[in-house]
Amino acid sequence: MARTKAKQPTHSGEGHLVSNLVTFIVFFGLFLASIYALNWLTLDVVWPMVVCLVVGTLIYLIPFMMGRSDTTVELAEGKSHNE
């Protein structure tokens, strides 16, 4: 009687090195651009702060919409963001 071993769920990013690197580079570049925009921030010119807040919010929310925010419960059930 052979026992089959249940497949353990893999890490959510396992096997996606290139897409993870591209995503990191794009979002880190956006983060640096928003910080660079703060060079022009004065009390009279407020657009750099608006740019920083909008881009920062997008950087935070877009990965959730891309499915990169799998919860541990989903991973423990064997589900991944590819399903």
Side-chain angles (χ1 to χ4, degrees):
M1 177 186 240
R3 295 180 76 190
T4 59
K5 187 175 181 181
K7 183 182 176 205
Q8 294 294 321
T10 59
H11 184 269
S12 64
E14 189 174 329
H16 302 280
L17 177 65
V18 174
S19 65
N20 288 341
L21 286 175
V22 169
T23 302
F24 172 78
I25 290 169
V26 167
F27 288 112
F28 192 69
L30 286 171
F31 170 72
L32 292 178
S34 69
I35 297 296
Y36 182 72
L38 293 177
N39 284 327
W40 291 282
L41 181 64
T42 64
L43 292 176
D44 296 329
V45 181
V46 295
W47 66 264
M49 183 56 74
V50 173
V51 168
C52 187
L53 290 173
V54 169
V55 172
T57 302
L58 289 175
I59 290 170
Y60 180 74
L61 292 177
I62 289 175
F64 287 107
M65 292 183 275
M66 291 175 62
R68 302 220 176 241
S69 61
D70 294 338
T71 64
T72 54
V73 174
E74 291 170 336
L75 291 174
E77 292 174 352
K79 300 175 184 174
S80 71
H81 65 274
N82 292 329
E83 294 179 2

